[in-house]
Amino acid sequence: QSALTQPPSASGSPGQSVTISCTGTSTDIGSYNYVSWYQQHPGKAPKLLIYEVSKRPSGVPDRFSGYKSGNTASLTVSGLQAEDEADYYCSSHAGSNNYLLFGGGTRLTVL
Amino acid sequence: QVQLQESGPGLVKPSETLSLTCTVSGGSIGTYYWSWIRQPPGKGLEWIGYIHYSGSSNYNPSLKSRVTISVDTSKNQFSLKLSSVTAADTATYYCAKMAGAAVAGTWGQGTLVTVSS
């Protein structure tokens, strides 16, 4: 099964908002509310930002929010800060045979 | 706070078997599901498979024929074996604790494995 589709890059100025999309199919994002988002800084392990479409783990700022409509999920980063510059990956459950799919990643640049 | 640490050879020869171990500290492996996820240099993430402490497992269909994940509850460890490796298997390998359905909640720092003769 193909990976989820994300734009390779996104950018915004400090204080602005930016939204990153993640497009799947009716057999993954469209079928399950198990979409997650991860943030990865260079040379570091990914960090969980959002799970079950829109829930934030303890310690994740509310500047990060998630949403899903149909086969597409999105991550919005509000009030951009320099430290938000990183790679962002979405993931989705895809059934018992292909449990976890990732997107190709989006590099967010803070201008 | 659970912490995970990957260990194993950083260099594996083509056609051989890649073997890695993840040691869990600060909590028991006897709950939750545990995954291996990899990332080729400069590329995205790929889920390899997961295991439950009971021994039940599930693998990425694209790797299923070459992957075995096992658990050793006495050592609080789980392991990955990937056979018949090629250069395409060169990646940073992460172990992760699954926090819920298809959610990798806690990650190890990752270990780079290079496949080369």
Side-chain angles (χ1 to χ4, degrees):
Chain A
Q1 190 162 355
S2 300
L4 307 174
T5 300
Q6 297 181 236
S9 63
S11 63
S13 299
Q16 288 186 333
S17 293
V18 64
T19 296
I20 299 170
S21 64
C22 173
T23 302
T25 69
S26 59
T27 60
D28 40 68
I29 292 177
S31 287
Y32 305 97
N33 287 324
Y34 294 131
V35 176
S36 299
W37 289 90
Y38 302 87
Q39 177 190 61
Q40 185 180 34
H41 287 106
K44 300 294 186 182
K47 170 190 170 185
L48 178 65
L49 280 183
I50 298 285
Y51 67 101
E52 293 179 10
V53 177
S54 60
K55 297 178 181 178
R56 283 186 308 276
S58 173
V60 173
D62 60 7
R63 302 187 295 105
F64 296 92
S65 60
Y67 177 78
K68 187 190 95 166
S69 178
N71 298 337
T72 300
S74 58
L75 172 73
T76 297
V77 185
S78 305
L80 271 174
Q81 300 180 3
E83 68 228 42
D84 298 332
E85 187 160 290
D87 293 328
Y88 292 82
Y89 293 91
C90 63
S91 73
S92 174
H93 182 47
S96 59
N97 285 338
N98 205 350
Y99 181 73
L100 182 57
L101 283 179
F102 284 98
T106 298
R107 176 151 296 177
L108 174 60
T109 301
V110 180
L111 302 171
Chain B
Q1 177 78 342
V2 169
Q3 294 184 311
L4 297 88
Q5 179 68 58
E6 305 87 352
S7 59
L11 181 64
V12 181
K13 290 182 168 56
S15 80
E16 295 189 344
T17 296
L18 178 158
S19 296
L20 295 174
T21 295
C22 182
T23 301
V24 179
S25 59
S28 172
I29 202 170
T31 50
Y32 301 105
Y33 289 79
W34 307 87
S35 275
W36 286 98
I37 296 164
R38 71 180 183 178
Q39 184 174 36
K43 296 188 178 180
L45 300 166
E46 180 180 37
W47 172 71
I48 298 170
Y50 71 64
I51 193 160
H52 187 250
Y53 76 94
S54 64
S56 67
S57 58
N58 193 6
Y59 303 134
N60 186 321
S62 68
L63 298 170
K64 190 173 185 176
S65 64
R66 299 193 292 130
V67 172
T68 301
I69 298 177
S70 58
V71 63
D72 186 338
T73 55
S74 67
K75 294 182 179 179
N76 235 32
Q77 295 176 334
F78 63 105
S79 299
L80 167 70
K81 290 190 186 297
L82 180 66
S83 64
S84 305
V85 297
T86 69
D89 295 310
T90 293
T92 295
Y93 286 76
Y94 295 99
C95 58
K97 170 190 160 188
M98 305 306 287
V103 181
T106 304
W107 297 63
Q109 66 183 29
T111 187
L112 175 62
V113 179
T114 301
V115 179
S116 175
S117 56

